[in-house]
Amino acid sequence: MRYMLLIYNDEAATANASRERTEQILAAYGAYTEALKTSGAWLAGDRLRPTQAGASVRMADGKTNVLDGPYADTKEQLAGFYMIEAMDFDTAKKWAGRCPAASTGTVEVRPIWEMTDYLSEK
Amino acid sequence: MENGLEIARAAAEAAARQSYGKLVAWLAARTRDVAGAEDALADAFAAALERWPKAGVPDRPEAWLLAVARRRRVDAIRRRLTGEAARDHLRLVAEEMEASMNDEELPDERLRLMFACAHPAIEPGVRAPLILQTILGFDAATIASAFLVSPATMSQRLVRAKSRIRETGIPFRVPERAELGGRLDAVLEAIYAAFAEGWSDPAGTETQRRNLATEGIWLGRLLASLMPEEPEALGLLSLMLFAEARRAARRSPEGDFVPLAEQDIALWDDMLIDEAEALLGRAAAKAVIGRYQLEAAVQSAHTARRRSGRTDWAAIRQLYDALLAIAGSPVVAINRAVAIAEAEGAAAGLAALYVLGDDKRLADYQPYWAARAGLLARLGNTSQAAEAYDRAIGLERDPAVRRFLQQRRAGLGDGATKG
Amino acid sequence: MRYMLLIYVNEAAMAAAPTETTYEISAAYGAYTDALKKSGAWLAGDRLKPTQAATSVRMANGKTNVLDGPYADTKEQLAGFYMIEAEDADAAIAWAARCPAASAGTVELRPIWEQTM
């Protein structure tokens, strides 16, 4: 099954981290990504630019609105994701626990809703 | 009741924008510092937008705005040193204008400001936003949403354009006859861009809310009143009024999209259509044909159905032929193909559409795929029609139009279940 | 540039929608995905199971905590994403506005932080 690991981190803290600390974190993510790949679990993964580089599009009163910034104003911000292949939810959770973000922020695990599941459920 | 209040509010807001734009134009034309002029009046304009709808529009709105602007500035300067430019602007007003303004109308420099905003040295994409901001006082966030740009980006573009006006020394003047044609085109294009953004916006369904279509017409009226002898200025206003007249008919009471051919003509606004016809007549009397007059003439031919009960597609096709010759664009070519289909049959229309097939700009252009789907469906080519409908559905952002296209696609029948 | 379009919709409303509406919405997403692919903008995209299937993992006091549910409790919930290739932010916003979620919820747009240095 495919799972999405959503990484939430305090982006201000990340931006303010010392150079040494930043390198340490990057190396930890590098090692984690490597581990995922070696085990065959890695499907995709990317880092997102900070929320201030984002915009949100929604319709209000029948009008398209474009707003600066993210959808939700949260203490920690979505900073990136991994998509992994895992046998079951427990395996996916284990991978989430190993992600460096689990110790600095939060990793949310969400199963992908495969089209085939979706159609059979409806 | 609610409606009456809404109208009073809109009138007060329009008066505030009218006076604000005049003052910004007057100041900017003297200093070339658009941002400074806006800055000087920002607080006063905000106060007017808040107060006038409740307390009514003052007798001398410009004088009111100036008085508030000066009072607020004095307060601000006492508290901290504020923008040098804003202070200079207000001093300029005080010295040069206040005495004469007591009895006279403020000279209207908005036309000159519009020409500065649509100057060739200003990037075309920011001209309409710039006019909306300087003449009408809209904030960057509102303009950004209308043009589907992030507010931060729109702010940056507007700031850059204003500093360009100042640094490049863009003139605040109406061009001489010899160069007027091209320069006027840029102004017309910017106004039409504002209108078109509002028109394609689904909010067009809501008659109560002001949107950019309304503002575009407002600017069109302003331009036509400032240049009453310019056939294309009249043509543009006519074109916008024809479109506006059909606003209420574009959606069913359930909010569903209603295509032009199926619109209930009882819902068209006869007064607006008559005004548009009169403007077009005035423009035609000048005997200088142009893009906007031709487009208005197309609209006129469409609305003729309210009297004759039928649409003269052959005439519309000829108008599009003329348009293609003087202002060819993929959009014109698509509309022409649709007219050909109506006048000579779907196969001829499709052939005219296929000529455009290689134009890269059309790959993500919804109306092309919708037109293509409709013609293929009429020819019974359901599988290709379904494919084209899918493409059009995927490119549409208005949920009502999306639903409409989905229904059309479903109407193709079993031959096209999977695209 | 690569952009991530994050789709936020009210999942309770989605679950409660009649079958017919569900099919209409699915078809709209299908057409949207197709349009992205045909224009060469599509890179990836998936739907996520509702947040009740979500678990959040975080460390507190040196211990790993596993909590039921999503990270943030919001009015609309992350329901899926697209990753697209777009020339610039304006083009990406134009695609975001065409996404069926733009009229039903919110589409958040985030540029990918490319790791080329």
Side-chain angles (χ1 to χ4, degrees):
Chain A
M1 281 179 73
R2 290 192 301 151
Y3 293 87
M4 189 95 163
L5 309 186
L6 299 157
I7 293 167
Y8 289 88
N9 264 326
D10 180 342
E11 60 186 24
T14 310
N16 291 332
S18 68
R19 198 195 163 88
E20 200 182 25
R21 173 87 180 119
T22 305
E23 274 167 15
Q24 197 180 45
I25 292 172
L26 279 177
Y29 274 101
Y32 176 66
T33 307
E34 231 8 83
L36 278 169
K37 286 183 174 167
T38 310
S39 89
W42 188 91
L43 295 173
D46 266 299
R47 189 174 173 192
L48 302 179
R49 286 199 170 268
T51 51
Q52 67 185 43
S56 296
V57 181
R58 62 180 296 131
M59 229 174 243
D61 298 326
K63 228 173 215 194
T64 304
N65 269 335
V66 186
L67 307 164
D68 286 325
Y71 163 68
D73 198 13
T74 46
K75 224 165 37 182
E76 294 161 327
Q77 295 78 21
L78 186 66
F81 72 96
Y82 282 98
M83 194 186 288
I84 63 167
E85 176 67 41
M87 278 259 292
D88 49 33
F89 200 50
D90 286 347
T91 316
K93 271 190 286 194
K94 256 183 215 128
W95 278 117
R98 291 174 186 137
C99 177
S103 50
T104 57
T106 306
V107 180
E108 178 182 331
V109 189
R110 291 277 290 280
I112 300 286
W113 207 347
E114 305 290 355
M115 194 57 107
T116 44
D117 300 350
Y118 175 68
L119 290 176
S120 62
E121 282 166 34
K122 268 283 161 183
Chain B
M1 261 328 251
E2 188 67 11
N3 206 19
L5 279 175
E6 187 70 25
I7 289 167
R9 194 190 59 79
E13 211 178 291
R17 295 195 192 284
Q18 178 89 254
S19 313
Y20 169 82
K22 272 180 156 178
L23 281 170
V24 167
W26 193 90
L27 287 168
R30 269 147 194 83
T31 60
R32 244 182 230 153
D33 182 0
V34 177
E38 288 175 328
D39 191 25
L41 292 162
D43 286 355
F45 180 52
L49 283 180
E50 205 220 332
R51 207 163 311 165
W52 295 6
K54 291 179 209 147
V57 178
D59 289 340
R60 288 186 297 121
E62 281 98 27
W64 188 99
L65 278 172
L66 270 181
V68 174
R70 293 191 62 204
R71 201 164 56 237
R72 300 234 166 157
R73 263 313 135 175
V74 171
D75 289 351
I77 290 162
R78 277 198 199 114
R79 261 179 274 125
R80 64 192 156 82
L81 220 60
T82 49
E84 198 67 34
R87 234 179 326 165
D88 287 348
H89 274 91
L90 293 168
R91 197 182 308 130
L92 181 67
V93 175
E95 287 169 3
E96 277 191 48
M97 199 175 79
E98 219 161 41
S100 66
M101 245 200 62
N102 287 335
D103 343 289
E104 283 171 45
E105 274 275 298
L106 182 72
D108 196 341
E109 315 274 38
R110 285 177 293 180
L111 189 58
R112 293 162 66 184
L113 177 55
M114 277 195 254
F115 273 101
C117 291
H119 191 275
I122 301 291
E123 200 197 321
V126 80
R127 290 174 193 165
L130 198 54
I131 288 177
L132 286 167
Q133 177 151 79
T134 57
I135 305 274
L136 291 166
F138 278 105
D139 59 24
T142 305
I143 300 170
S145 284
F147 287 86
L148 274 191
V149 170
S150 88
T153 306
M154 183 55 82
S155 284
Q156 276 170 15
R157 285 179 194 167
L158 287 166
V159 167
R160 219 182 302 134
K162 284 174 210 166
S163 83
R164 196 158 169 77
I165 287 179
R166 194 168 53 167
E167 321 256 280
T168 321
I170 287 175
F172 280 70
R173 64 177 176 83
V174 178
E176 304 293 328
R177 250 308 123 189
E179 51 159 348
L180 182 62
R183 296 285 311 280
L184 180 61
D185 279 351
V187 173
L188 295 169
E189 208 170 288
I191 294 176
Y192 192 49
F195 174 82
E197 287 300 334
W199 180 246
S200 63
D201 193 303
T205 56
E206 279 186 69
T207 44
Q208 300 232 343
R209 272 179 78 98
R210 295 168 70 81
N211 66 23
L212 283 198
T214 319
E215 305 308 334
I217 290 173
W218 196 90
L219 288 167
R221 283 194 191 281
L222 178 65
L223 190 69
S225 73
L226 296 171
M227 305 186 94
E229 301 301 316
E230 276 306 324
E232 279 293 88
L234 302 175
L236 173 62
L237 179 56
S238 171
L239 166 62
M240 294 191 292
L241 292 180
F242 272 125
E244 181 69 12
R246 298 198 312 262
R247 176 183 295 285
R250 293 201 306 165
R251 294 289 187 279
S252 73
E254 295 76 38
D256 288 331
F257 170 76
V258 184
L260 178 54
E262 290 161 29
Q263 284 174 10
D264 178 0
I265 52 174
L267 293 173
W268 291 354
D269 186 330
D270 284 329
M271 263 170 53
L272 281 183
I273 294 176
D274 291 343
E275 188 187 352
E277 291 289 0
L279 282 162
L280 187 57
R282 261 173 66 198
K286 315 271 178 211
V288 184
I289 201 71
R291 175 198 158 185
Y292 293 105
Q293 293 171 76
L294 282 169
E295 293 210 33
V298 168
Q299 297 297 322
S300 171
H302 277 300
T303 48
R305 175 155 75 85
R306 75 187 167 136
R307 298 250 155 77
S308 66
R310 57 178 287 275
T311 305
D312 185 352
W313 285 104
I316 292 174
R317 186 244 155 103
Q318 279 177 0
L319 288 166
Y320 276 121
D321 284 348
L323 258 173
L324 199 63
I326 65 163
S329 73
V331 181
V332 169
I334 291 165
N335 288 325
R336 178 171 166 272
V338 171
I340 290 175
E342 295 294 340
E344 297 165 27
L350 201 57
L353 210 53
Y354 278 152
V355 174
L356 302 167
D358 293 337
D359 197 320
K360 283 266 186 317
R361 287 173 291 180
L362 294 176
D364 296 335
Y365 188 62
Q366 190 270 8
Y368 169 74
W369 295 102
R372 183 169 156 150
L375 295 181
L376 284 164
R378 270 161 64 175
L379 289 170
N381 189 342
T382 46
S383 69
Q384 281 194 49
E387 226 171 277
Y389 271 127
D390 279 338
R391 197 76 176 270
I393 293 162
L395 293 170
E396 180 54 54
R397 67 182 164 105
D398 181 340
V401 177
R402 193 187 291 133
R403 267 201 316 275
F404 169 80
L405 291 167
Q406 284 186 294
Q407 280 155 12
R408 287 280 150 118
R409 190 201 183 285
L412 291 173
D414 293 339
T417 37
K418 279 279 168 276
Chain C
M1 280 178 72
R2 289 192 300 153
Y3 291 86
M4 188 98 164
L5 307 186
L6 300 157
I7 292 168
Y8 290 88
V9 289
N10 184 323
E11 58 188 26
M14 289 291 273
T19 316
E20 198 180 299
T21 312
T22 309
Y23 277 125
E24 192 182 286
I25 295 170
S26 290
Y29 276 100
Y32 176 66
T33 307
D34 227 38
L36 278 169
K37 286 182 177 168
K38 293 244 167 72
S39 104
W42 188 91
L43 296 172
D46 267 301
R47 191 166 176 190
L48 302 178
K49 288 210 174 200
T51 50
Q52 67 191 38
T55 293
S56 295
V57 180
R58 59 183 298 134
M59 221 173 252
N61 304 323
K63 274 186 119 164
T64 302
N65 274 345
V66 180
L67 307 159
D68 284 332
Y71 162 67
D73 195 14
T74 46
K75 227 170 29 183
E76 294 161 326
Q77 295 78 24
L78 185 66
F81 73 94
Y82 283 98
M83 194 186 289
I84 64 165
E85 175 68 40
E87 207 181 332
D88 51 30
D90 290 0
I93 289 174
W95 278 115
R98 286 165 172 158
C99 178
S103 48
T106 305
V107 180
E108 179 183 335
L109 173 101
R110 294 277 293 279
I112 301 285
W113 204 336
E114 304 293 354
Q115 302 299 309
T116 47
M117 302 232 178

